[in-house]
Amino acid sequence: MKKMISIAIVVIGIAVVSCNNSNQQIKSHLNKSEENLIFPKGSKIESDHFHGTAWLHWLVKSDSINHIGSGSVTFEPGARTSWHLHPDGQIILVLGGTGYYQEKGSPKKILRKGDVVTCPPNIPHWHGASSDKEFIQVAITSRLKGPTEWLDAVSDEEYLAGDL
Amino acid sequence: MKKMISIAIVVIGIAVVSCNNSNQQIKSHLNKSEENLIFPKGSKIESDHFHGTAWLHWLVKSDSINHIGSGSVTFEPGARTSWHLHPDGQIILVLGGTGYYQEKGSPKKILRKGDVVTCPPNIPHWHGASSDKEFIQVAITSRLKGPTEWLDAVSDEEYLAGDL
């Protein structure tokens, strides 16, 4: 009987070790996948036109030859821009997380990975993260008709409007 | 002894089932993560200006208000565009895989996830997947100065140049 107990313990041991190894391989791959964002988070945005903490990684800076600028912005939960407008419009590509986009006079929209927003020229709007999840977006902005025009901050009432 | 064998079998059974459940949960999350590309693959491109199989999902179509068009393109291994130019330039954001980008007169560059290319106006170039890996890119193209101008196909010699 002792022999049987020993065999059983060895077999269980092998099963447990094998299971753990298998899990570790998968978890290791999973972590790599989760950490492996498309673009770096970049630098913390130091601007009065942002509320909360947001990060910017420039993809392309506009210049005299290329009038389109593009940056990857990561908003931490609750972070958002002030109201603002772009004289030549803006395209927003959502890479991850959950965020909001609102044009003046319209209800805010919830944005998730894969969503695309086309913001027409000169339309005041804001964007940012939801209150409990970060939000990662690529902004594509033509500077052909001038730089971004910044307006008032988004109040907490505006930010939370429509939430349950 | 029979009792011991029964107990051992039950314990091993529980260990194996528990291990499988645990693996399945992680694998299920992993598959979701791997399958969960940012943008859909879209529709197969039917164009004489492409060699091999490529897929296009429009993110934004340019119009009279917004002059920037953007699409996510997935090139299968070996697939590439013909030589072409954009009168107002183009930005390429690499979302995944391994691809090539070459401007006329310069060696081809290898592109990987997170890379960004700014192609100046009127510079003939081509892009596509490497021969053994797919390539996923977002193209951002201003149509302000006219549509893409298509040129010759990229020969196999040009495509393979510089490879070991």
Side-chain angles (χ1 to χ4, degrees):
Chain A
M1 192 161 84
K2 276 187 182 170
K3 198 178 172 187
M4 274 311 300
I5 293 172
S6 303
I7 292 170
I9 289 171
V10 168
V11 171
I12 293 169
I14 290 169
V16 168
V17 167
S18 161
C19 173
N20 278 346
N21 279 346
S22 170
N23 274 350
Q24 271 166 9
Q25 280 173 355
I26 296 169
K27 276 180 185 164
S28 151
H29 185 62
L30 181 64
N31 288 342
K32 196 180 166 195
S33 163
E34 283 180 339
E35 285 166 7
N36 205 5
L37 295 170
I38 307 274
F39 303 112
K41 202 170 171 180
S43 306
K44 200 169 166 178
I45 297 174
E46 304 289 352
S47 164
D48 292 342
H49 305 306
F50 282 71
H51 171 95
T53 303
W55 304 77
L56 168 66
H57 171 72
W58 278 110
L59 300 172
V60 176
K61 287 200 178 191
S62 58
D63 56 30
S64 58
I65 297 171
N66 164 48
H67 57 82
I68 299 171
S70 182
S72 177
V73 184
T74 301
F75 294 88
E76 293 189 3
R80 69 252 193 185
T81 66
S82 290
W83 288 98
H84 61 286
L85 58 85
H86 307 285
D88 204 17
Q90 184 176 59
I91 295 168
I92 296 169
L93 311 180
V94 182
L95 299 191
T98 306
Y100 298 140
Y101 169 81
Q102 184 177 23
E103 293 179 3
K104 205 82 180 177
S106 300
K108 76 181 181 200
K109 290 178 183 170
I110 298 179
L111 300 181
R112 294 191 180 87
K113 189 175 183 172
D115 285 343
V116 178
V117 174
T118 307
C119 175
N122 297 315
I123 298 294
H125 65 281
W126 65 270
H127 28 126
S130 60
S131 52
D132 60 348
K133 289 202 174 61
E134 69 168 7
F135 177 61
I136 308 169
Q137 59 152 63
V138 165
I140 301 161
T141 318
S142 164
R143 313 290 177 184
L144 205 62
K145 295 181 182 169
T148 302
E149 188 177 319
W150 289 99
L151 308 167
D152 292 339
V154 174
S155 68
D156 286 346
E157 198 180 357
E158 287 173 316
Y159 177 71
L160 296 169
D163 287 354
L164 292 177
Chain B
M1 191 160 84
K2 276 187 181 171
K3 199 178 172 188
M4 274 310 300
I5 294 173
S6 302
I7 291 171
I9 289 171
V10 168
V11 171
I12 292 168
I14 290 170
V16 168
V17 167
S18 161
C19 172
N20 278 346
N21 279 346
S22 173
N23 275 349
Q24 272 168 8
Q25 280 173 355
I26 297 169
K27 277 181 185 163
S28 150
H29 186 62
L30 179 64
N31 288 342
K32 197 179 163 193
S33 163
E34 284 181 337
E35 286 167 5
N36 207 3
L37 296 169
I38 307 274
F39 303 112
K41 201 169 173 182
S43 306
K44 200 169 166 177
I45 297 175
E46 304 289 352
S47 163
D48 292 341
H49 305 306
F50 282 71
H51 171 95
T53 303
W55 304 77
L56 168 66
H57 171 71
W58 278 109
L59 301 171
V60 175
K61 288 200 177 190
S62 58
D63 56 30
S64 58
I65 297 171
N66 164 49
H67 57 82
I68 299 171
S70 182
S72 177
V73 184
T74 302
F75 294 89
E76 292 189 3
R80 68 253 194 185
T81 66
S82 290
W83 288 97
H84 61 287
L85 58 84
H86 307 284
D88 203 17
Q90 184 176 60
I91 296 168
I92 296 170
L93 312 179
V94 182
L95 299 191
T98 305
Y100 299 141
Y101 169 81
Q102 184 177 23
E103 293 179 5
K104 205 83 180 176
S106 300
K108 76 183 182 198
K109 291 179 184 170
I110 297 180
L111 300 181
R112 294 191 179 87
K113 188 174 180 172
D115 285 343
V116 177
V117 173
T118 307
C119 175
N122 297 316
I123 298 293
H125 66 280
W126 65 270
H127 29 126
S130 60
S131 53
D132 60 349
K133 288 201 174 62
E134 69 168 7
F135 177 60
I136 308 168
Q137 59 152 62
V138 165
I140 300 161
T141 318
S142 164
R143 314 289 178 185
L144 205 62
K145 295 180 182 170
T148 302
E149 188 177 318
W150 289 100
L151 307 166
D152 292 339
V154 174
S155 68
D156 286 346
E157 199 180 356
E158 287 173 316
Y159 177 72
L160 296 170
D163 287 355
L164 294 177

